[in-house]
């Protein structure tokens, strides 16, 4: 898995079927052989047959609705905080970036989700995105709206491809994405080193500018889209295995992490296309 949120979770990252507790039939009262016991058991069975089947929500299991509601709520919070930061204090973006990084790592490696920490992470990332988006918008008018629309479009395409079965998360697919992300990380670190020592030029470093920057940006967007598909597969596995409902917070957090990465890559790619030297 590429997303550490799902990769480090035994609920989402491990395909093993969870062992469910076997039902225990404990007969209380008269023994089965007596007429009274037979009548009582018959009445009980009739009630069970007439009762509606238990849904995952009734049994406290994870559902897609839970994930959608949590993800939608976090995205709404992220948007509100980002808009407020953009308007009131865009300079706080660096604080949001640092706090968001720390909380992101803490949440990614927690065995059990913490709604409070996940919410605080979302707030911190909202501060970061609001400030950095205001910076980009000051140089390229309308670029933030384009990046948001592009992010939603990539998300929709990835979801459609996953639901249609045209793209399947196989071990080969996972290895390819992992290799690509490791290569991208090494490439990005090399670009940062060159920037620190003043080698080359470009706003985003010598390896992320011009035509080369466009190619690398497209690769990064592709990796983010592939990561989304793997996130969808992890969530599907969690639902099918009957994970506890509380892990909807983990699923929503994982999706938020990938969507933020995708948005930032699209923002940078659009900036290069619109005139970065």
């Amino acid at each position: 898995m590429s997303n550490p949120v799902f990769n480090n979770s035994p609920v989402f990252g491990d395909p093993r079927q969870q062992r469910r507790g076997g039902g225990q039939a404990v007969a209380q009262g008269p023994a089965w052989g007596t007429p009274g016991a037979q009548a009582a058991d018959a009445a009980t069975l009739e009630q069970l047959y007439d009762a509606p089947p238990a849904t995952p929500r009734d049994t406290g299991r994870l559902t897609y609705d839970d994930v959608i509601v949590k993800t939608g709520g976090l995205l709404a919070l992220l948007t509100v905080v980002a808009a407020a930061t953009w308007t009131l204090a865009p300079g706080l973006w660096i604080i949001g970036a640092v706090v968001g990084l720390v909380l992101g790592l803490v949440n990614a490696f927690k065995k059990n989700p913490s709604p409070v920490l996940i919410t605080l992470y979302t707030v911190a990332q909202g501060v970061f995105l609001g400030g950095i988006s205001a910076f980009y918008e000051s140089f390229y008018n309308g670029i933030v709206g384009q990046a948001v629309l592009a992010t939603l479009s990539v998300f929709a395409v990835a979801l459609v491809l996953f639901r249609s079965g045209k793209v399947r998360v196989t071990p080969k697919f996972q290895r390819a994405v992992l290799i690509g992300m490791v290569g991208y990380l090494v490439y990005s670190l090399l670009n940062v080193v060159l920037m620190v020592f003043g080698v080359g030029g470009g706003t985003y470093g010598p390896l992320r500018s011009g035509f080369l920057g466009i190619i690398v940006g497209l690769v990064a967007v592709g990796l983010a889209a592939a990561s989304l598909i793997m996130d969808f597969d992890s969530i599907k596995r969690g639902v099918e295995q009957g994970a506890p409902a509380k892990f909807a917070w983990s699923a929503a957090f994982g999706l938020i992490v990938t969507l933020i990465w995708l948005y930032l890559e699209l923002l940078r790619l659009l900036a290069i296309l619109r005139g970065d030297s």
Side-chain angles (χ1 to χ4, degrees), residues 145-212:
Q146 294 174 344
V148 171
L149 181 60
T151 300
L152 295 176
S153 299
V154 173
F155 178 86
V157 170
L159 181 58
V160 169
L161 289 175
F162 175 75
R163 290 291 301 273
S164 67
K166 294 182 178 180
V167 178
R168 296 183 179 181
V169 182
T170 62
K172 184 177 181 180
F173 180 89
Q174 294 179 6
R175 287 194 298 269
V177 174
L178 179 60
I179 293 172
M181 293 187 67
V182 171
Y184 174 71
L185 177 61
V186 173
Y187 187 90
S188 298
L189 291 175
L190 177 60
N191 185 55
V192 171
V193 171
L194 293 177
M195 289 179 63
V196 171
F197 287 97
V199 179
T203 304
Y204 308 109
L207 302 181
R208 291 302 305 267
S209 300
F211 180 74
L212 181 59

Side-chain angles (χ1 to χ4, degrees), residues 34-254:
T34 64
Q38 293 178 354
D41 288 337
T44 301
L45 288 174
E46 184 176 356
Q47 291 178 354
L48 291 175
Y49 281 124
D50 292 338
T55 64
R57 183 177 299 276
D58 295 330
T59 58
R61 299 299 183 182
L62 179 67
T63 66
Y64 291 115
D65 288 343
D66 292 334
V67 177
I68 293 172
V69 170
K70 298 295 190 301
T71 304
L74 291 179
L75 282 175
L77 176 62
L78 182 75
T79 302
V80 170
V81 175
T85 303
W86 182 334
T87 304
L88 302 176
L92 294 178
W93 71 269
I94 185 64
I95 298 177
V98 174
V99 175
L101 176 61
V102 173
L103 290 176
L105 292 174
V106 171
N107 281 304
F109 292 98
K110 282 182 65 64
K111 293 183 178 180
N112 291 304
S114 170
V116 174
L117 291 179
I118 291 174
T119 301
L120 291 176
Y121 165 82
T122 303
V123 172
Q125 289 297 78
V127 173
F128 167 61
L129 291 182
I132 203 70
S133 296
F135 172 79
Y136 274 91
E137 188 72 18
S138 65
F139 285 95
Y140 310 100
N141 184 41
I143 192 173
V144 171
Q146 294 174 344
V148 171
L149 181 60
T151 300
L152 295 176
S153 299
V154 173
F155 178 86
V157 170
L159 181 58
V160 169
L161 289 175
F162 175 75
R163 290 291 301 273
S164 67
K166 294 182 178 180
V167 178
R168 296 183 179 181
V169 182
T170 62
K172 184 177 181 180
F173 180 89
Q174 294 179 6
R175 287 194 298 269
V177 174
L178 179 60
I179 293 172
M181 293 187 67
V182 171
Y184 174 71
L185 177 61
V186 173
Y187 187 90
S188 298
L189 291 175
L190 177 60
N191 185 55
V192 171
V193 171
L194 293 177
M195 289 179 63
V196 171
F197 287 97
V199 179
T203 304
Y204 308 109
L207 302 181
R208 291 302 305 267
S209 300
F211 180 74
L212 181 59
I214 295 175
I215 298 300
V216 175
L218 290 173
V219 171
V221 170
L223 288 173
S227 182
L228 271 177
I229 293 175
M230 294 173 66
D231 292 349
F232 297 150
D233 184 70
S234 297
I235 293 171
K236 179 174 178 289
R237 183 181 304 119
V239 172
E240 291 178 347
Q241 293 182 170
K246 64 180 180 180
F247 283 98
W249 284 100
S250 297
F253 170 61

